[in-house]
Amino acid sequence: MKSKRKEYIAQFYRGNRGMFLLAALTALLTSGLHLVIARALQQMIDGISGVPGAPGLAGMAGWIAAVLALILLIQAMEYSFQPRFIQKGMQQYKEYAFGKLTRKSLESFDQEASARYLAAFSRDAETIEAGCLEGRFQLLTSAADFIGALVMMLLYSPVMTGISCAFFILPAGVSLLMGRRIQQAERQVSQKNETFTATLKDSLGGFSVMKSFRAEGPIQALFAGSNRAMEQAKCQKRRQVIALGTLASLAGVLAQLGTFWAGAWLAFSGARITPGVLIVFINLAAYVIEPLQVIPERLAALRAAEGLIDKLADALEEPARQPGTPLPDRLRQGIELRDVCFSYKGESRPALEHISARFEAGGCYAVVGGSGSGKSTLLGLLTAGRRNYSGEILYDGRELKTVSIESLYDLVGLIQQKVFLFDASIRDNITLFRDFPQEQVEQAVQKAGLAALIEARGPAYRCGENGRGLSGGEQQRVAIARSLLKQSQVLLVDEATAALDPATARQVTLSILELAGITRILVTHRLDETLLRRCDGILALKDGRIAEFGAFDQLMASKGYFYSLFTVTQ
Ligand code: ADP
Ligand code: MG
C-alpha cells in the first residue's frame, strides 16, 4: 500500500523540487524570525532597564531594522515560492490520478461507484492539499520553532528551562495522543462525503425521473439524510480539534505561569535574572508549547491526507492481467461462442447458459428475447466487459481471454441506448477530439445519416450538455458515426433505438443494416418484420438460454419461441 502512495506523492515533487526547497527554506526562516524577535525584545527591555552591556537607542533601532528586513524578506519568499509549489504539485497529482482512471479497464470501473472519484478529485483533493502540502511547511516551521526555542532557552538558563518544561509536559503528552482520533474523524468525514456526493449525483442525474414520479419528497429526505450524516461527521471532527486545542492551551498557560514562577523563585534565591530574560522566556515558552499543539494536529492531518491518497490509489489500482496478444485489425471469419455460461458475482442463477452460436464476419444479426433474458449480458461478454465466463468466445478463432483489450476495443464498437455526448461541437463529438482526414469524417457522417443535419447546422454546432441540443435519433447517429470513423469491424448495438419513436428507430436501424462489410449484432425488442427479414440470423434468448437461432422465415415456419414472441408483439 505504501509503495503505491509513493507514486502519487512523487507527483507533488516532479520537476518541483527546487520550488519545494525554496518554500521549505521560507518556512525555516519564519521560525528564525521568531527567535530573532525574542532576542530583540530581550535586548531592548534590558536596554531600557539599564542592564550593563545591553544596547542603547542606536542598537535598539538596529534590532528593529533587522526584524523589519527579515519580515519583508520572508513575505517576499512566501509569496513567490509556496503557492507556485502547491499549484504545480496539485496539478500533477490530479492529472496523474486522472490518467490512471482513464486507463482503467471497463471491467474494473463498472463495478464501482463513480461518486468515489468525484469526491477524490474535489473534497479529498482539498484535504490532501491542506494536509500534505500546506501542512508540511507549517510542520517545518513548528518543528524548527520547538528546537530553536528550546535551545535558546537552555542557553539563557538551563534551570529555568527545566522548571518551565516540567509544567507543560503532562498536557502536551495528552494532546499528542489525541492526534490519532482526529485522523479517524477525518476518514469518517471522507466516507460520509462520498455517500453525500453519490446522492447528489443520482438526484441530479435522475432529475426528470424525480419530477415525473413526483418523488421530490423522498429525494429531499434522501439528500437530508446523507447531508446530515456528513455534517455530523464534520462536527465530530471539529470537536476533536477543539478538544486538542483545549489541552494545548492549558499547556500553554501552565508553561507561561510556570515560567513566571520559576523566574521569581530563581530571583528570590539570588540568581541574576534580568527583566529581558524573563520576557524572553515567556516569549519562547510559547514557541515550545505551540508546536506541541500544532505538530500532532498537523501530523494527524498529514496521516489523514495520506489515508485519502491510499484510498484513491486503491480505487485506481488495476488488477494485474495478462497483456494478451493483439487481434488483427480486420475480422475475417467471424465470432463464435462455444458453450458459454456466465453468472454475475453473487447471483445463484446463471445469466447465460450453454450459449453456442456463430456470427459470420460481415453479417447482420438480431438478438431478441424478453426483458432479463440475457441480451445485454451477451453483448457485455462480447466486449470483454466480464471475463469470468466458462466456455469459449472466439474472434477469428482467438479466445477473447488471450487477446489484448486495446485491440478488441479497436475492432469492436458498442452503441447503447444512452449516448454519451460532450458539450462540444458535433464534429468533436464524432471524432472524440481526435484528428481524422476530412473525407473520412464526411464518409462516416454520410453513412450514419447525419449529412442533412450537419448541412443545416454546420459541423461546429454545439451538442449541449448531455447532448440536449440533439434529438434522440441524432444522438444515436452520432454514436454510429463514431464507430464508423474508428473503423470498427464489429458493431454491437444494444437497444440503441428503444427510446426513439418508431419511424426514427426504423431509419436508424436501416442505416445500420446498410453498413455492408461490418459485422453487426443488434439487440432489439422491437420486432419489425422488414428489418428482421434483412438479418442473416435471429438469435432468440429465453431465460439465458438459446431458444432458437435462424433466419426469419425459418423461425416463423417452425412456429417456436420466436414465432410466439413475434405474433404477441404484432
Ligand atoms: P436483457 O438485456 O435481456 O434485458 P440482461 O442481460 O440485462 O437482460 O440481464 C440478464 C439477467 O442478469 C437478468 O436476470 C438480470 O437481472 C441479471 N443482471 C443483469 N446485470 C446484472 C448485474 N450487474 N448484476 C447481477 N445481475 C445482473
Ligand atoms: Mg438489456
Side-chain angles (χ1 to χ4, degrees):
M1 185 144 107
K2 288 257 166 73
S3 65
K4 266 190 279 159
R5 179 200 299 168
K6 263 195 197 142
E7 284 169 41
Y8 288 80
I9 291 192
Q11 301 309 313
F12 295 138
Y13 301 102
R14 190 157 49 84
N16 208 11
R17 263 186 207 283
M19 220 29 103
F20 171 72
L21 290 177
L22 286 169
L25 181 66
T26 315
L28 288 178
L29 278 179
T30 306
S31 158
L33 173 69
H34 295 155
L35 300 184
V36 169
I37 291 177
R39 174 81 181 160
L41 276 177
Q42 180 260 319
Q43 289 283 306
M44 291 199 285
I45 288 170
D46 280 353
I48 294 165
S49 318
V51 173
L57 275 179
M60 290 186 201
W63 274 108
I64 292 173
V67 166
L68 275 180
L70 198 53
I71 289 178
L72 284 177
L73 173 71
I74 290 173
Q75 290 306 311
M77 286 175 73
E78 205 168 340
Y79 180 90
S80 322
F81 307 136
Q82 215 204 67
R84 191 79 196 96
F85 165 74
I86 292 177
Q87 182 206 334
K88 188 165 179 190
M90 280 316 286
Q91 230 165 278
Q92 292 183 160
Y93 166 79
K94 282 190 277 181
E95 277 171 24
Y96 180 76
F98 193 76
K100 283 222 162 205
L101 179 61
T102 55
R103 284 192 298 280
K104 229 173 146 53
S105 73
L106 217 49
E107 188 173 14
S108 61
F109 181 79
D110 261 349
Q111 292 156 23
E112 299 149 347
S114 55
R116 173 185 301 180
Y117 300 113
L118 288 180
F121 284 98
S122 50
R123 190 186 173 278
D124 287 1
E126 270 164 37
T127 311
I128 288 167
E129 182 179 316
C132 252
L133 301 185
E134 289 166 353
R136 231 169 255 270
F137 299 114
Q138 285 158 351
L139 256 176
L140 204 59
T141 304
S142 292
D145 272 347
F146 183 79
I147 296 169
L150 210 57
V151 168
M152 201 160 156
M153 281 166 82
L154 281 170
L155 288 177
Y156 273 116
S157 161
V159 182
M160 229 168 119
T161 310
I163 298 172
S164 56
C165 282
F167 278 94
F168 59 73
I169 231 78
L170 186 69
V174 177
S175 80
L176 261 164
L177 292 176
M178 293 265 307
R180 202 177 296 277
R181 301 180 63 171
I182 294 190
Q183 185 183 352
Q184 279 166 1
E186 182 61 51
R187 259 195 179 253
Q188 274 291 318
V189 174
S190 156
Q191 232 171 50
K192 300 293 179 213
N193 178 57
E194 207 176 281
T195 322
F196 176 75
T197 316
T199 315
L200 194 62
K201 190 174 140 273
D202 290 346
S203 320
L204 295 178
F207 197 80
S208 56
V209 178
M210 172 184 84
K211 280 291 168 195
S212 58
F213 283 86
R214 305 263 193 118
E216 289 96 338
I219 294 224
Q220 172 83 39
L222 214 62
F223 176 87
S226 59
N227 189 25
R228 188 178 333 113
M230 181 174 78
E231 291 303 332
Q232 265 168 359
K234 278 164 65 186
C235 166
Q236 273 306 318
K237 191 195 118 190
R238 236 171 252 135
R239 287 205 164 130
Q240 299 286 356
V241 171
I242 291 173
L244 187 68
T246 309
L247 285 172
S249 25
L250 195 64
V253 172
L254 274 177
Q256 295 201 322
L257 293 179
T259 309
F260 256 123
W261 186 84
W265 181 74
L266 283 176
F268 286 146
S269 48
R272 207 183 62 84
I273 298 286
T274 66
V277 171
L278 196 57
I279 291 291
V280 101
F281 256 74
I282 290 166
N283 208 325
L284 289 176
Y287 288 124
V288 177
I289 300 296
E290 202 189 86
L292 289 176
Q293 172 195 2
V294 172
I295 291 178
E297 207 177 286
R298 285 287 139 209
L299 277 180
L302 185 67
R303 299 271 163 278
E306 285 176 349
L308 294 179
I309 295 179
D310 287 341
K311 198 171 99 176
L312 180 64
D314 282 342
L316 291 179
E317 188 59 13
E318 190 73 15
R321 78 155 92 227
Q322 301 295 331
T325 48
L327 278 171
D329 54 5
R330 291 202 77 79
L331 187 74
R332 290 174 209 285
Q333 299 147 32
I335 306 168
E336 189 174 358
L337 292 104
R338 283 194 194 149
D339 199 30
V340 172
C341 299
F342 172 78
S343 307
Y344 284 102
K345 224 180 254 159
E347 300 285 317
S348 52
R349 207 177 64 87
L352 288 176
E353 281 184 280
H354 307 295
I355 303 289
S356 294
R358 188 175 163 79
F359 305 104
E360 299 295 336
C364 181
Y365 297 87
V367 177
V368 300
S371 170
S373 58
K375 303 183 297 291
S376 299
T377 307
L378 181 67
L379 289 198
L381 289 186
L382 289 178
T383 47
R386 301 183 194 260
R387 294 195 154 199
N388 50 331
Y389 55 85
S390 68
E392 290 176 290
I393 299 179
L394 305 164
Y395 275 75
D396 275 354
R398 309 257 310 268
E399 165 55 46
L400 197 54
K401 285 175 189 166
T402 68
V403 307
S404 88
I405 283 285
E406 292 72 24
S407 71
L408 181 75
Y409 290 162
D410 281 343
L411 196 70
V412 179
L414 179 66
I415 301 180
Q416 288 163 310
Q417 191 171 327
K418 175 100 194 69
V419 179
F420 185 74
L421 288 157
F422 293 90
D423 185 7
S425 72
I426 296 197
R427 195 194 149 94
D428 285 342
N429 265 298
I430 292 172
T431 60
L432 288 178
F433 307 97
R434 285 177 300 176
D435 272 330
F436 286 99
Q438 181 61 24
E439 66 266 32
Q440 261 184 42
V441 179
E442 275 169 15
Q443 226 176 35
V445 161
Q446 190 69 39
K447 282 194 188 162
L450 272 175
L453 175 80
I454 291 191
E455 182 81 17
R457 309 227 180 136
Y461 176 73
R462 285 189 83 82
C463 297
E465 201 184 326
N466 288 325
R468 64 178 76 242
L470 296 181
S471 74
E474 288 160 354
Q475 295 185 13
Q476 289 300 341
R477 290 179 189 280
V478 169
I480 295 170
R482 265 180 202 166
S483 299
L484 291 177
L485 195 57
K486 89 171 176 77
Q487 307 201 314
S488 300
Q489 295 287 305
V490 178
L491 209 52
L492 304 176
V493 185
D494 191 359
E495 305 268 23
T497 59
L500 307 181
D501 62 273
T504 316
R506 205 146 196 264
Q507 280 166 7
V508 172
T509 310
L510 259 174
S511 320
I512 297 173
L513 288 173
E514 274 156 15
L515 299 173
I518 293 179
T519 315
R520 290 141 293 167
I521 302 178
L522 283 78
V523 163
T524 176
H525 73 270
R526 224 187 269 273
L527 303 180
D528 183 314
E529 183 174 341
T530 39
L531 298 180
L532 286 174
R533 270 182 189 285
R534 293 183 57 172
C535 289
D536 298 303
I538 299 168
L539 183 92
L541 280 178
K542 188 180 179 213
D543 298 333
R545 289 170 175 268
I546 296 188
E548 280 170 306
F549 189 21
F552 182 79
D553 291 331
Q554 188 189 340
L555 295 188
M556 288 304 279
S558 68
K559 292 210 178 347
Y561 180 64
F562 177 76
Y563 175 82
S564 58
L565 211 61
F566 184 78
T567 40
V568 164
T569 54
Q570 294 311 297

